[in-house]
Amino acid sequence: MSAPLLEIDRLAVSFRAERGRVHVVDRVQLALAAGETLALVGESGCGKSITALAIMRLVPRPGLIEAESRICFAGRDLLSLPVAEMRNVRGGKIGMIFQEPMTSLNPVTRVGAQVEEAIRLHAKVPAGEARRRTVELFQTVGIPDSGIRVDAYPHQLSGGLKQRVMIAMAMAMQPRLLICDEPTTALDATIRAQILELIRNMATTTGAAVLLITHDFGVVNAVADRVAVMYAGQIVEEGAREELLSRPRHPYTQGLLRSIPRPEARGNRLEEIKGVVPRPGQWPQACRFHPRCPHAFDRCRSETPARTVVSPTQAAWCHLVDEEARA
Ligand code: SF4
């Protein structure tokens, strides 16, 4: 088997607080193959966006990626790359699409010019050719009146169109890894489906791997090959999409899935996960989910769960799963 394109091991990110450092991401381990789409799922505050920023080495200060962390991309240790080389990786081999496109778009530069710049950064083509390719890319991502829209400023476009510009930009850069952080959260259902389709098509045509950060299982179902579920800064379950969605093993994943409205369950009451998400720095001992878990037993309060492999494509960090596997 070929080596994964992205391999994350023992990733830990902490922030300075009054009473010492507070970990927001704790010993995260993930792998992503070329051409694969991995969804990183969890409630807000679980550490998934910080994980994405850590890959890009963009964790905001006073955040710190701890020394034991390893992030290996295409055989290179990203955390030890010189700043200039890391900037090249960010601008080329790894692209990022955020929930709010204005995080990445320059508000005072026409959108077409921004995409042209991305094209010319990677291909030594004359300005006229870059413009022609930009119009073509705008057509590909479904921006109507592309020849006119290239001259618009970001504030003149709707949220959906701005997100399409971001995808056109990503296509221009042809990244090997595309990180999408809640790319469709601010969009209505129809536009959301179109944007997800575009991201999937882009990954298929360019062979890019996609790391999709989301709290929405509808999005997971639409595009993911594999899923990793995160809770309180740690991965608690991972697996192939179909297996994990049809047979979740971790009580947290089960709770998340029970709380999703499903058309076939109309009339049935949704079950919420009881209790509240703990804040970083106030994470419970041992299994961090134990105060909310309906199956918690003594071991859960005293021992941190290790990874239990439940099938060739699924694993969970849970004592109950572990004891069932041993029985
Ligand atoms: Fe629940 Fe225990 Fe599993 Fe944690 S380890 S999820 S408390 S059963």
Side-chain angles (χ1 to χ4, degrees):
M1 213 171 79
S2 58
L5 177 68
L6 177 72
E7 213 167 2
I8 299 175
D9 191 27
R10 285 169 291 140
L11 173 64
V13 181
S14 63
F15 283 80
R16 204 179 314 116
E18 266 175 29
R19 285 179 297 156
R21 296 206 74 86
V22 170
H23 280 83
V24 289
V25 171
D26 196 6
R27 285 163 288 150
V28 160
Q29 187 185 340
L30 284 174
L32 184 53
E36 183 179 47
T37 296
L38 172 71
L40 187 56
V41 192
E43 294 164 283
S44 37
C46 70
K48 52 193 193 309
S49 291
I50 293 289
T51 300
L53 290 172
I55 298 169
M56 303 287 271
R57 274 179 44 190
L58 289 175
V59 171
R61 285 172 190 277
L64 179 83
I65 299 176
E66 301 277 342
E68 74 266 26
S69 311
R70 289 282 168 273
I71 301 178
C72 192
F73 171 72
R76 302 176 84 192
D77 177 7
L78 291 187
L79 298 180
S80 61
L81 281 188
V83 172
E85 269 188 66
M86 188 61 213
R87 203 176 297 130
N88 286 341
V89 169
R90 271 201 295 270
K93 294 190 169 59
I94 304 182
M96 194 153 179
I97 295 176
F98 295 93
Q99 174 181 341
E100 178 38 76
M102 288 311 285
T103 315
S104 312
L105 289 172
N106 183 339
V108 295
T109 305
R110 296 177 199 275
V111 286
Q114 297 186 51
V115 176
E116 284 169 38
E117 196 185 320
I119 291 172
R120 297 188 73 191
L121 217 62
H122 294 274
K124 302 279 173 259
V125 294
E129 173 62 12
R131 166 103 181 175
R132 192 190 60 74
R133 287 192 199 178
T134 299
V135 174
E136 232 174 65
L137 278 171
F138 275 31
Q139 278 163 359
T140 308
V141 299
I143 297 176
D145 304 321
S146 304
I148 298 168
R149 287 272 166 62
V150 285
D151 289 324
Y153 288 97
H155 72 269
Q156 294 172 312
L157 302 179
S158 67
L161 286 181
K162 281 196 283 261
Q163 209 54 300
R164 285 172 205 266
V165 171
M166 287 310 302
I167 296 171
M169 187 113 75
M171 289 171 91
M173 295 200 228
Q174 302 196 339
R176 294 183 68 187
L177 169 65
L178 181 64
I179 300 175
C180 304
D181 189 359
E182 305 276 11
T184 56
T185 301
L187 307 174
D188 71 42
T190 317
I191 308 288
R192 186 183 80 161
Q194 292 169 359
I195 296 290
L196 291 174
E197 184 67 21
L198 272 174
I199 291 172
R200 195 168 53 186
N201 285 347
M202 191 210 113
T204 313
T205 42
T206 64
V210 178
L211 177 64
L212 181 71
I213 314 280
T214 183
H215 63 277
D216 183 342
F217 274 99
V219 171
V220 173
N221 210 8
V223 287
D225 299 309
R226 277 195 313 120
V227 185
V229 181
M230 209 167 170
Y231 183 78
Q234 296 177 323
I235 304 291
V236 295
E237 184 161 14
E238 63 180 3
R241 182 200 61 201
E242 276 182 33
E243 193 177 359
L244 188 137
L245 294 187
S246 62
R247 195 157 182 242
R249 304 299 298 270
H250 195 284
Y252 177 59
T253 316
Q254 292 168 354
L256 280 181
L257 286 165
R258 273 198 299 269
S259 64
I260 307 170
R262 290 167 198 269
E264 72 272 15
R266 200 170 292 134
N268 292 350
R269 283 189 55 190
L270 295 175
E271 284 181 47
E272 273 186 16
I273 303 175
K274 294 202 170 43
V276 289
V277 181
R279 294 161 63 96
Q282 297 171 0
W283 284 331
Q285 293 294 314
C287 171
R288 292 176 181 175
F289 188 56
H290 82 253
R292 305 177 74 192
C293 180
H295 307 291
F297 52 106
D298 285 352
R299 193 179 165 199
C300 309
R301 298 178 194 94
S302 59
E303 192 185 320
T304 302
R307 184 175 190 266
T308 300
V309 175
V310 293
S311 82
T313 58
Q314 194 172 4
W317 284 252
C318 169
H319 292 312
L320 187 67
V321 175
D322 177 50
E323 300 203 356
E324 280 171 2
R326 287 165 190 266

